[in-house]
Amino acid sequence: MANIQALLIQVLLVLAILSVLVSAKPTRKSKRATGTNFWGITYTVYSASGQCLSEAQVTNDVALMKSAGITHIRMYGQDCDGLNYVLNALKGSTIKVLAGIWFSDDARYKTEISSFLAILRSQPSSVLSTNLMGVVVGNENVNSHFMNENTLIAHIKDASAQIKGAGFNSVKITTSEPPNTYTKTIMDLSVIDFVLPNVHPYFGKVDVGQAFSSFMSQVNALKKKTGKPFIVGETGWPSAGNTFGAAVPSLANEQLYAKDVICKAPGQNLQYFFFEAFDSLWKQPGQFGVEQHWGVWNRTTSKPKINFYAHVNH
């Protein structure tokens, strides 16, 4: 009997020790950790066929972006009442949208600036202060040969004057060009609040394994030209299209570049908009057959092409 009691005491001691060890084991952190999703993403309000999305469809798109942990959305123009729809969908959140004034000539510019001012007047001031990050006046206008640099600068100055003249002094203003046409003259404009270059290593003909390094080389070269705040306006990789030098479009390569940006950009203290939210099937394929295939969601099915939270162990 005494032997049995001694054995029971030993078993209870072992169980007590195991209980202490288990309770002392640290809990696993959630995978929704900082640096496991894009800082920002670009977004257009078109269906696969190029039709304007309804407000309900835009609201669903914004919900997808919210669920992916995205905190900044960049838009390009004032068409389809898209900016209003996005701002309405963001009410009650702290997600910010960078609006756009898209134009290739003076007539379109006048329409766009008028529409933007109307939205500024119609939205509550609380929404503007919380959810509107600023506005991009022109996207690659010089690089696309829509106009020369002086004409673009004149439009940027006019937009600033109209926005500030309407009493919206807190709206930040910028423009977007690729590195080859984002000159110091544009960067140094007093009305430019931050620099917003579009940087795509695919067009540099580099292998996807070297893409982030090439991307950062271009970013750092531009940063040396300005002391202003700096945000990358676009970067991404196409999931289909033509090989360009060593740059091969494929879903696997888009996923790899997305992973590199998600994991490595925070360590560079870099803010950026990944290009783009949904495949732009409404576009023409373009010279390299890639223009329709940059999305991280499929436009038709709304299914993600990448896993936003698969990169927590960088």
Side-chain angles (χ1 to χ4, degrees), residues 21-65:
L21 290 173
V22 169
S23 64
K25 185 178 179 180
T27 56
R28 185 185 179 111
K29 291 184 179 180
S30 167
K31 283 191 175 183
R32 293 179 68 90
T34 301
T36 60
N37 45 52
F38 298 122
W39 184 85
I41 202 160
T42 69
Y43 175 61
T44 55
V45 288
Y46 296 119
S47 68
S49 61
Q51 301 300 308
C52 290
L53 298 177
S54 68
E55 183 164 12
Q57 289 171 317
V58 171
T59 300
N60 287 338
D61 286 349
V62 171
L64 278 178
M65 290 183 261

Side-chain angles (χ1 to χ4, degrees), residues 145 166 239 283 306:
H145 305 292
S239 61
K283 289 183 179 178
I306 71 165

Side-chain angles (χ1 to χ4, degrees), residues 38 201-202 206-212 236-261 274 293-296 305-306 311:
F38 298 122
Y202 166 81
V206 299
D207 179 83
V208 70
Q210 303 301 316
F212 188 80
W237 195 272
S239 61
N242 302 332
T243 296
F244 187 41
V248 180
S250 71
L251 179 57
N253 285 349
E254 180 185 22
Q255 292 169 340
L256 179 58
Y257 186 63
K259 177 182 178 181
D260 279 350
V261 173
F274 202 80
H293 306 294
W294 298 77
V296 298
K305 293 161 64 180
I306 71 165
H311 315 310

Side-chain angles (χ1 to χ4, degrees), residues 87-197:
L87 285 171
N88 290 341
L90 294 180
K91 287 176 181 176
S93 77
T94 57
I95 297 172
K96 294 187 179 296
V97 59
L98 180 59
I101 293 174
W102 189 95
F103 59 99
S104 57
D105 55 40
D106 191 56
R108 179 64 182 265
Y109 166 76
K110 289 177 179 177
T111 299
E112 291 267 317
I113 186 66
S114 176
S115 297
F116 182 62
L117 289 170
I119 290 173
L120 293 180
R121 295 185 180 107
S122 66
Q123 285 285 345
S125 59
S126 59
V127 171
L128 297 181
S129 61
T130 303
N131 301 116
L132 183 65
M133 181 180 168
V135 63
V136 187
V137 183
N139 181 63
E140 300 193 0
N141 283 26
V142 176
N143 186 65
S144 300
H145 305 292
F146 293 154
M147 58 197 63
N148 62 32
E149 183 178 280
N150 289 336
T151 303
L152 172 62
I153 288 172
H155 283 97
I156 296 169
K157 289 180 175 179
D158 181 79
S160 176
Q162 290 202 50
I163 292 166
K164 301 296 191 288
F168 300 101
N169 295 313
S170 62
V171 175
K172 295 187 182 299
I173 294 172
T174 188
T175 192
S176 198
E177 290 284 338
N180 60 302
T181 48
Y182 217 133
T183 65
K184 186 167 171 49
T185 300
I186 296 174
M187 293 180 190
D188 287 346
L189 290 173
S190 62
V191 295
I192 292 289
D193 293 299
F194 59 96
V195 175
L196 190 80

